[in-house]
Amino acid sequence: MGPTGSPDGTERAQAGDFLTTAQGLRLPDTDHSLKAGDRGPTLLEDFHLREKITHFDHERIPERVVHARGSAAHGVFESYGTAASVTKAGFLAGGRQTEVFVRFSTVLGSRGSADTVRDTRGFAVKFYTDEGTFDLVGNNIPVFFIQDGIKFPDVIHAAKPHPDREIPQAQSAHDTFWDFASLHTEATHHVMWNMSDRGIPRSYRTMEGFGVHTFRLVNEAGATSLVKFHWKPAAGVHSLVWEEAQITAGIDPDFHRRDMADGIEAGAFLEYELGIQVMPDDGSDSFEGIDLLDPTKLVPEELAPVQLIGKLTLNRNPTNFFAETEQVAFHTGHLVPGIEVTDDPLMQARLFSYLDTQLTRLGGPNFAQLPVNRPHCPVNDMLRDGMHQTAVHTGLAPYRPNSIDGGKPLVAAAGEGGYVQVARRIEGTPVRANPASFDDHYSQATMFYRSLTPVEQAHIVEAFTFELGKCYEQVIKERELQVLANVDADLCAQVAAGLGLPVPKGRPAQDVVLSSALSQVTTEPGPIAGRKIGVIADAGADLAGIGKLRKAAEKLGATVLVIAPVGGVLADGSREVIVDRTLLTARSVEFDAIVVAGKTTPVSDIKLVLLLQEAFRHLKVLGAWGDGTAVLEAAGISADSPGVVTGPSAAKPFTQQLAAAVGLHRVWDRAPNVMASAVPPASGDAQHA
Ligand code: HDE
């Protein structure tokens, strides 16, 4: 019998069929409090009532100060062994498999806020290695707002809702954020990424991840290198469009959470490759003129290619959100031999923060004993007692040296797996100052902007115009325009035009070398696993065709959802198709593509027109087979418009073309005609205007 009452000693306090108190006493009733007569007052002696209500009163724990909103999955990391020459970390040796737990998050919003807001995303990975737990606590943006950790409370106070009214929730489009960003110009590069499509990812499956800081890797021989970590998603890097992100925040605030859980449940696992950029550790802490200790700078992949070292697969949903996703505790100081930190002043401060924050959030120093936080290797610490101690330690001597417990636990030399920092010289005079190289706040922001395609640049212009347009203080807008003037004159001019303000003069860097790896627009179709295709159908529709489409989509890991005027089942002789959504419950944002089944009767239902027009405007693939094209035409969408896939039937040529189009993610050719959400619904003529 285990301590929580389970016969197999596991931690689930859910043994036996009968309801009990926390003490295991069987209960005859949990629906009525114990009263003096059925109309009388409640008796103090009702220990069950008091236990039930007391526990309920304490069900919530403090949410994370930042990254409160998140969701997570279990998985496995398989190492290729290609990093073995640069690190002795055992889990990166060839052919090793390591269990992992990954939590994705937004930064600004509270626990119940929407997933699709414009924000940086957290990408925190816990590797349960047999040399101890290694946490890679990264983001989906490779640079950060600040160069020194001491500024973190400032940037977060500025970005969180205003302290008087606690609005707006989960967004940066407000005065205090732009007040800070425009004064604190080292944030400029990160802000450019936030305002780009990277700030509104399509799903966790389609996000890149970055360790941000430079790490120091050490190999068996003691040789060191400086590296940046990258996660490359197998599904490619894709984003929402802004109007879609906003609508989704209301229609389905759990959009990313649902997408990951549904995908894993359907067997469409999330996959990423881990990669490293390797730079020489020559004592300069810089590479090709880039200061590697400055976390507002990235190293372009063209200068240091990302070498792939292993594959991460997220394949299991958590069983209980609170126990796992909420209670998981990441810490940048959870390191293993072969992986060390550098003197990046942002990273140094994090080494303090992540342990400290768990004391409040998880109520004491024993959070490492929670199931999700337990290492998957032997633990023999001399930490004792404290709140919520669940271990029953034996022995008398949790101190060293001792003779009573046989001198144990022993300390391990490096050869025995002990974590011995590589020798490095540390000296200096105490100062509160940055090196001069940290003063360049603009050149990489310029590089990022100019490396993107015109449609991605246009999205940045729209995002700045939207966010600054939400500010009340004129002086803040003007100051941010001055920042943009130092990034790119054209960007600044376009945003200024949108705000109706004069264009300030700046001095943007002239000679930046561009990096095409920063753009996420691709011409090669990617995989479509986890994507959702909506099929418009009605009672007379070609149900056999829907069957063919579903079979083809499921083979590729995508899901087909049938949308009909009313719920229930569509039947045609012995063939039956279940209706998944009605025109009342469907909104275009749920789907990556919408196709019309052949033989569906064209109707002018405004909800159907809106569904198709919205998908069109959000640059999604549309399609129809057979005479289904008439339904598109009835909604004002010409079958010859870019990104409209048609065919005589739902046979292979049609489904193949559809999959390839969805694999390109968006119909970028349509973008010039539908840019900005203010454009009226596209008519057949307007599309070609
Ligand atoms: Fe965090 N950060 N952070 N951060 N961070 C937290 O730790 C902090 C920074 C990141 O899913 C907190 O357990 C400081 C950079 C992620 O549980 C807290 C500084 C990067 C997560 C904290 C930084 C991150 C956190 C809140 C400046 C990207 C979510 C709860 C020195 C490389 C982890 C917690 C999860 C969470 C502090 C800067 C990423 C308060 C002081 C840079 C992904 O400790």
Side-chain angles (χ1 to χ4, degrees):
M1 185 67 72
T4 54
S6 63
D8 59 358
T10 61
E11 297 308 312
R12 290 184 66 201
Q14 285 173 300
D17 289 337
F18 289 104
L19 176 71
T20 71
T21 64
Q23 303 306 314
L25 176 71
R26 288 187 184 179
L27 288 163
D29 181 318
T30 188
D31 302 327
H32 304 91
S33 35
L34 190 68
K35 291 178 297 198
D38 60 3
R39 298 171 67 77
T42 304
L43 300 179
L44 187 60
E45 81 175 66
D46 189 352
F47 55 82
H48 172 47
L49 168 74
R50 281 188 286 125
E51 181 190 68
K52 188 173 176 181
I53 299 291
T54 303
H55 197 278
F56 169 76
D57 291 344
H58 298 270
E59 273 178 10
R60 296 287 169 271
I61 61 172
E63 66 173 32
R64 287 165 174 80
V65 183
V66 284
H67 296 268
R69 171 79 186 172
S71 63
H74 295 272
V76 62
F77 177 76
E78 297 168 75
S79 160
Y80 300 155
T82 41
S85 59
V86 285
T87 177
K88 61 183 173 186
F91 80 102
L92 292 174
R96 295 287 275 275
Q97 293 213 347
T98 303
E99 289 177 277
V100 296
F101 187 72
V102 178
R103 184 173 179 275
F104 300 105
S105 48
T106 54
V107 178
L108 297 178
S110 300
R111 258 194 71 181
S113 58
D115 281 342
T116 59
V117 296
R118 183 179 292 286
D119 196 357
T120 307
R121 299 299 185 289
F123 193 134
V125 183
K126 189 176 277 298
F127 296 87
Y128 301 97
T129 94
D130 47 19
E131 294 175 299
T133 298
F134 169 54
D135 289 348
L136 185 55
V137 197
N139 279 344
N140 77 326
I141 290 180
V143 291
F144 207 61
F145 287 108
I146 52 173
Q147 295 167 321
D148 186 320
I150 200 166
K151 294 300 294 171
F152 196 61
D154 300 86
V155 63
I156 297 303
H157 288 171
K160 284 273 187 182
H162 289 200
D164 51 356
R165 303 178 182 190
E166 210 190 28
I167 49 177
Q169 176 59 235
Q171 52 186 293
S172 51
H174 57 100
D175 285 85
T176 55
F177 177 75
W178 289 103
D179 182 34
F180 179 83
S182 59
L183 290 166
H184 175 86
T185 51
E186 74 195 42
T188 306
H189 190 192
H190 188 125
V191 165
M192 290 297 295
W193 282 74
N194 280 135
M195 295 304 117
S196 80
D197 293 342
R198 304 284 181 141
I200 42 172
R202 156 66 180 82
S203 58
Y204 297 138
R205 177 192 298 281
T206 60
M207 265 177 12
E208 271 184 300
F210 303 91
V212 177
H213 313 282
T214 304
F215 289 75
R216 177 170 280 110
L217 296 191
V218 189
N219 70 10
E220 273 314 337
T224 59
S225 330
L226 298 179
V227 308
K228 297 256 188 202
F229 286 106
H230 293 245
W231 290 108
K232 296 280 184 191
V237 189
H238 297 311
S239 296
L240 301 171
V241 297
W242 179 228
E243 187 191 62
E244 182 189 17
Q246 287 182 289
I247 295 171
T248 308
I251 301 273
D252 185 7
D254 307 305
F255 189 71
H256 288 155
R257 182 178 284 191
R258 187 187 312 284
D259 179 87
M260 176 159 70
D262 280 357
I264 291 176
E265 198 171 278
F269 300 147
L270 288 76
E271 290 175 355
Y272 309 81
E273 282 184 296
L274 180 62
I276 46 176
Q277 289 179 290
V278 183
M279 281 78 64
D281 189 9
D282 58 10
S284 70
D285 284 332
S286 69
F287 177 71
E288 301 273 345
I290 300 163
D291 193 330
L292 297 176
L293 300 187
D294 176 354
T296 68
K297 304 290 189 312
L298 56 80
V299 176
E301 292 185 25
E302 288 78 1
L303 293 182
V306 176
Q307 303 171 34
L308 300 174
I309 64 172
K311 185 177 159 195
L312 168 70
T313 307
L314 298 181
N315 54 17
R316 183 161 62 88
N317 284 315
T319 308
N320 181 278
F321 188 93
F322 181 83
E324 300 171 271
T325 310
E326 192 58 16
Q327 294 200 110
V328 66
F330 292 94
H331 179 15
T332 47
H334 292 164
L335 296 161
V336 290
I339 304 180
E340 298 192 14
V341 299
T342 56
D343 295 338
D344 169 350
L346 182 64
M347 179 184 244
Q348 294 281 321
R350 294 181 77 196
L351 290 165
F352 170 74
S353 180
Y354 288 73
L355 175 57
D356 180 52
T357 197
Q358 314 307 346
L359 302 180
T360 306
R361 205 168 70 75
L362 298 169
N366 288 317
F367 57 87
Q369 296 180 2
L370 293 166
V372 71
N373 293 327
R374 272 181 214 161
H376 293 195
C377 66
V379 171
N380 194 355
D381 60 40
M382 292 193 295
L383 311 171
R384 289 294 180 271
D385 309 343
M387 292 273 201
H388 317 303
Q389 177 61 259
T390 56
V392 182
H393 291 109
T394 57
L396 299 179
Y399 57 85
R400 273 182 55 84
N402 76 65
S403 65
I404 291 181
D405 283 348
K408 293 196 176 159
L410 309 173
V411 292
E416 297 165 307
Y419 188 88
V420 182
Q421 270 87 352
V422 76
R424 64 186 161 123
R425 235 184 127 68
I426 302 176
E427 61 180 2
T429 316
V431 283
R432 292 190 183 274
N434 277 341
S437 62
F438 280 34
D439 288 347
D440 167 17
H441 297 172
Y442 299 112
S443 66
Q444 285 211 344
T446 305
M447 171 186 73
F448 176 67
Y449 181 73
R450 294 191 186 155
S451 297
L452 302 181
T453 57
V455 68
E456 292 171 293
Q457 291 180 337
H459 287 168
I460 293 184
V461 170
E462 285 183 356
F464 272 106
T465 314
F466 176 92
E467 297 253 329
L468 294 172
K470 290 275 186 173
C471 292
Y472 292 92
E473 299 287 345
Q474 203 72 354
V475 60
I476 293 175
K477 300 181 199 188
E478 286 165 3
R479 208 190 299 128
E480 184 59 26
L481 284 176
Q482 184 60 62
V483 172
L484 296 184
N486 288 326
V487 176
D488 185 88
D490 192 44
L491 163 68
C492 177
Q494 290 188 65
V495 177
L499 297 174
L501 289 171
V503 187
K505 285 223 169 347
R507 294 177 56 195
Q510 294 304 319
D511 49 355
V512 291
V513 180
L514 304 187
S515 167
S516 57
L518 298 174
S519 166
Q520 63 180 66
V521 170
T522 166
T523 48
E524 283 299 312
I528 64 163
R531 300 306 188 92
K532 287 192 176 139
I533 300 170
V535 187
I536 311 279
D538 62 15
D542 170 15
L543 302 188
I546 295 179
K548 274 189 202 143
L549 173 66
R550 174 166 285 145
K551 212 161 147 200
E554 282 175 358
K555 237 186 186 162
L556 300 171
T559 311
V560 166
L561 294 168
V562 175
I563 310 163
V566 292
V569 173
L570 303 178
D572 153 17
S574 60
R575 197 186 303 275
E576 289 196 340
V577 168
I578 294 173
V579 176
D580 301 289
R581 301 283 185 275
T582 68
L583 290 180
L584 209 62
T585 60
R587 190 78 189 246
S588 72
V589 292
E590 188 183 356
F591 308 102
D592 296 286
I594 299 185
V595 299
V596 184
K599 297 194 197 146
T600 304
T601 311
V603 285
S604 56
D605 187 325
I606 186 66
K607 295 191 289 303
L608 179 58
V609 174
L610 178 70
L611 185 72
L612 294 169
Q613 281 289 342
E614 241 174 29
F616 186 87
R617 201 164 64 234
H618 298 157
L619 310 177
K620 290 180 179 177
V621 176
L622 290 166
W625 71 85
D627 55 8
T629 45
V631 175
L632 293 180
E633 304 275 357
I637 294 166
S638 157
D640 321 319
S641 322
V644 179
V645 178
T646 55
S649 74
K652 217 171 181 185
F654 175 78
T655 55
Q656 272 177 345
Q657 236 189 312
L658 184 71
V662 176
L664 286 172
H665 184 58
R666 299 277 165 185
V667 184
W668 298 115
D669 291 349
R670 211 188 280 151
N673 299 330
V674 298
M675 283 314 270
S677 46
V679 172
S683 75
D685 295 340
Q687 294 149 31
H688 302 291

